[in-house]
Amino acid sequence: MTETVFELFEAAARRVPEGGCLCAPPMAGRPYHPDGVEIGYGEARERVAALGALYRAAGYGRGHRVALLLENRPDFHLHWWALNALGCAIVPINPAYRLEEMVYLLDHSEAALVVSVPERLSDVEAAVAGSAAPPPVVDAAALPARLPAPRAVAGGGAPGANDEAALLYTSGTTGRPKGCILTNRYFLNAGRWYREAGGMMALEEGCERLLNPLPLHHANALAIGSMAMLNAAGCIVMADRFHPRSWWADVAATKATIIHYLGIMPPLLLSLPPGPEDRAHAVRFGAGAGIDPKHHAAFEARFGFPLIEGWGMTEVAMPTWSSVEPRRADTRAFGRPLSGCEVRVVDDEDREVPPETPGELTLRMIGDDPRRGLFSGYLKDAQATAEAWRGGWFHTGDVVTQAADGMLCFVDRKKNIIRRSGENIAAAEVEAVLQADGRVAQAAVIAVPDELRQEEVMACIVPAQDTAGDVDAATALQDLCLERLAYYKAPGYLLFLDTLPVTSTQKVQKVSLFPADVDPRRVAGCHDLRERKRAR
C-alpha cells in the first residue's frame, strides 16, 4: 500500500518509465529553461535518487523541515520527492515574500535548511541573517558535494502516511499566515479525490499532461494537480505564471490535455481576439474554481472544452467537483462531496439549515477520525486549530447553499479575507503594517470588487494629526506596504476618512463603512493606486 508522496511517484515511474513526468514551456527571456524542458519519469527517478543520497549523507530525515524557494521549476518536485523519501517535510517559500515575511516563515517553521534558486540567494541570505536561529542556505543550481548538516538529529523509522510532508502557509483572519501541517495521507487523499471525480474529469493512465500556472506554494498546484498526475502517471506541466497572450502557445507547446484555472483567467482569455489558436490544442477539460457564470458557457463554446468547477482550500484540498451533468454552469455550483467526506451547512450557532438556505460550509471525514486525510492542524497554534474544528467539524468560513439533491453552490465568504488573483490576503496583516506607521491613526482594510482579479485590497485610513490625506500620503503608505509585504497585499485603493465606524468596544464595523448601494471605489477622494502595484 502506498504510504508517502515519494512512493506514489515511484509507483508511477515504474509503470511509465518512458513517460513525461515534469515539463516547463519555452519562454524567451526566462532565466531558466528558456527553450522549455521535459523530464521523463526514468530520468526524474535517477535525479531524485541522487538528491536523496545527498540529503541522507548530511543527516536529514524524519522531523526535519527544508524550506524551498524554487519557484515553479521542475527542481522543486525533484527536491520534494527526495526529501519525502527520507521523511523530511518541505516548507515552500512564496517568491513574492518580502524580507519580514520570509524571516517570519523561517523562524516559525524552524526550517533546518533553505534551498534557493540562484537569482534569489541574496534575498534568502538577508532573511536568514534576521532569523533567530539562522538555517544554512544552498544554491539549487550549484549544490555542494556535502550539504550542511541539520542542527537536530533525525527521528528513526521509515516514513509513513501520518508523517508531515509539507508545511504550507495560508493567510488567516488574525494577521500572520498560519502554517498548515499536511501529511502524506493528505496528499494521497487529494490525488484520490481528483481521480475519483470521473465523468468529464476521467483520467487516462499514462496519457495526461496537466498545465498549471498556479504557484507551488499553493495547495492547488502542489497537492491537487501534482498528486492527480502522480496518481495517473501523468505529466506535471508548470508555467511560471499565467500569461494571457501566450497562454494558448504554452498549451500547444506542452501538449496539455488538462489545464487548471482561476476565475480571473476565462474573462482575460475571452477578451483576446479570436484566432486559430483557440482550438489548436489537445485540452479535454479545465479544472478550477471561481468562474463567473456569465463567462462559463461562452468560454466552453469558443475554446471547445468544459471548465469543471470545484471547491477547496489548503486545509482540506479539493473534496468536491462538479464533473458530471447537470453541472449547473449558469450558477456557482461546485459539486457534491466525494467519498469519505461529509458536509453540513450551518448557521452561526452551528445548527444545520434547510436546503437552499445560505450558511457556513462545514465538513469532516467519515469514521472515527474526522481529520483523517485533512490537515493535521496549524503549527504552534492549538487555539486556532480547535476553533476551526469546533464541534468536530472543520469550519471553512465560506457561505454556501446546498440543494435537496446535495449540490453545493458558493455564495460568499464569512472570513475577513481578501481574494485577489488566487491569493488569500488577511486584512489584519495589512492593517498591522499601516497601523504601526505614525501617519496613521486608524486603518481598516477591506475587499472591493475587481473586474479582472476578483477582488482588490482597499485601505480606509484616518490620518494622524497634522498628516495630509492627499495623493502623496496615499502613495507613501502604499510604498510602506510594498516594502514590507508581498506586492499583491498592498492596497490598490486608498481612501482617507475623518472617522471609522466602531462598536462600543472600539472595534471597527467594516460593514458600516459604506452604504450597501455605494461602490467604495467611486467615493470622492479614493486614490486608485493599482497601476503602481502592477509595475512591481
Side-chain angles (χ1 to χ4, degrees):
M1 178 182 290
T2 303
E3 291 276 311
T4 68
V5 171
F6 170 74
E7 289 175 3
L8 190 66
F9 158 70
E10 272 275 290
R14 287 194 299 269
R15 298 199 305 274
V16 292
E18 303 303 320
C21 177
L22 299 168
C23 174
M27 185 174 295
R30 184 161 52 183
Y32 58 97
H33 307 311
D35 300 320
V37 64
E38 174 118 4
I39 300 172
Y41 270 101
E43 179 185 350
R45 193 179 188 185
E46 292 175 2
R47 292 174 63 174
V48 167
L51 286 169
L54 195 63
Y55 282 114
R56 183 183 296 105
Y60 290 88
R62 293 179 73 195
H64 290 139
R65 295 190 183 106
V66 174
L68 303 180
L69 203 169
L70 297 178
E71 301 175 339
N72 275 27
R73 309 191 187 191
D75 277 353
F76 184 106
H77 290 283
L78 299 176
H79 280 266
W80 182 27
W81 298 336
L83 288 161
N84 186 267
L86 302 177
C88 298
I90 60 165
V91 186
I93 300 177
N94 183 339
Y97 269 3
R98 297 299 195 224
L99 179 65
E100 289 183 23
E101 296 167 303
M102 206 177 294
V103 170
Y104 168 76
L105 178 144
L106 295 176
D107 281 344
H108 189 260
S109 68
E110 300 181 49
L113 176 72
V114 186
V115 183
S116 173
V117 294
E119 297 85 358
R120 300 300 303 277
L121 275 175
S122 60
D123 296 329
V124 173
E125 288 166 349
V128 164
S131 175
V137 180
V138 295
D139 182 348
L143 292 172
R146 186 170 183 86
L147 292 172
R151 292 185 297 270
V153 176
N162 294 322
D163 284 351
E164 180 183 331
L167 184 67
L168 288 193
Y169 281 81
T170 180
S171 291
T173 58
T174 54
R176 288 290 197 180
K178 296 195 291 289
C180 286
I181 301 170
L182 308 178
T183 64
N184 282 302
R185 191 183 304 280
Y186 167 98
F187 286 97
L188 298 179
N189 201 42
R192 177 182 67 82
W193 273 337
Y194 198 110
R195 190 152 198 184
E196 180 187 302
M200 295 181 178
M201 290 177 63
L203 301 180
E204 187 174 348
E205 173 79 6
C207 297
E208 306 297 353
R209 298 174 64 86
L210 193 160
L211 172 58
N212 198 334
L214 305 177
L216 283 165
H217 60 269
H218 278 191
N220 185 298
L222 185 68
I224 300 164
S226 296
M227 293 306 103
M229 289 300 93
L230 291 187
N231 198 295
C235 186
I236 301 166
V237 185
M238 293 158 281
D240 63 331
R241 62 186 178 88
F242 173 58
H243 301 273
R245 295 193 179 278
S246 62
W247 176 250
W248 295 118
D250 288 345
V251 169
T254 59
K255 300 180 176 64
T257 62
I258 305 166
I259 64 163
H260 273 200
Y261 68 90
L262 292 178
I264 63 166
M265 292 170 58
L268 288 172
L269 293 172
L270 285 167
S271 71
L272 299 174
E277 65 276 7
D278 290 357
R279 294 289 186 111
H281 57 73
V283 178
R284 296 193 300 105
F285 67 87
I291 186 173
D292 191 316
K294 68 184 180 185
H295 298 134
H296 209 149
F299 184 97
E300 294 184 358
R302 175 171 165 182
F303 298 109
F305 59 89
L307 295 181
I308 312 300
E309 285 282 289
W311 175 92
M313 56 193 304
T314 304
E315 288 85 345
V316 299
M318 214 101 173
T320 76
W321 289 105
S322 58
S323 55
V324 296
E325 295 289 7
R327 291 181 292 140
R328 304 179 191 175
D330 57 340
T331 72
R332 293 191 181 274
F334 57 83
R336 302 172 180 82
L338 294 162
S339 70
C341 179
E342 59 180 335
V343 305
R344 293 174 73 230
V345 182
V346 301
D347 62 18
D348 290 340
E349 279 71 48
D350 278 347
R351 297 173 301 205
E352 196 162 1
V353 299
E356 304 293 357
T357 303
E360 183 177 8
L361 176 65
T362 66
L363 59 87
R364 68 183 181 187
M365 297 299 284
I366 298 169
D368 296 337
D369 183 0
R371 305 186 193 186
R372 182 181 173 87
L374 308 181
F375 84 118
S376 300
Y378 299 117
L379 181 67
K380 303 176 184 176
D381 200 338
Q383 182 177 346
T385 302
E387 173 63 19
W389 276 102
R390 60 189 182 275
W393 291 79
F394 177 70
H395 289 63
T396 67
D398 281 355
V399 177
V400 306
T401 60
Q402 186 170 30
D405 65 359
M407 178 66 82
L408 294 156
C409 190
F410 183 77
V411 176
D412 205 347
R413 283 189 309 281
K414 289 180 67 175
K415 292 182 178 180
N416 191 18
I417 290 290
I418 301 161
R419 182 78 169 173
R420 181 188 187 274
S421 294
E423 297 283 1
N424 287 330
I425 303 165
E429 185 179 14
V430 186
E431 288 165 351
V433 172
L434 292 166
Q435 199 71 56
D437 191 84
R439 294 164 291 190
V440 176
Q442 283 182 295
V445 172
I446 61 172
V448 292
D450 187 276
E451 287 69 24
L452 293 181
R453 291 169 174 78
Q454 188 175 352
E455 291 180 340
E456 183 55 273
V457 183
M458 180 173 183
C460 299
I461 303 291
V462 176
Q465 191 173 4
D466 300 327
T467 297
D470 55 18
V471 66
D472 289 339
T475 56
L477 290 174
Q478 188 195 45
D479 284 341
L480 172 70
C481 293
L482 288 168
E483 290 167 6
R484 297 187 57 187
L485 301 171
Y487 77 94
Y488 56 82
K489 300 178 185 178
Y493 296 93
L494 198 145
L495 175 66
F496 291 103
L497 297 171
D498 294 332
T499 61
L500 298 179
V502 295
T503 66
S504 58
T505 58
Q506 297 304 299
K507 183 177 180 179
V508 176
Q509 291 182 304
K510 294 185 180 181
V511 294
S512 302
L513 277 168
F514 304 98
D517 60 347
V518 170
D519 184 341
R521 301 172 296 175
R522 311 291 180 239
V523 172
C526 179
H527 299 286
D528 183 351
L529 308 176
R530 290 175 297 166
E531 287 299 326
R532 300 183 81 248
K533 287 179 69 168
R534 293 171 187 167
R536 299 285 167 149

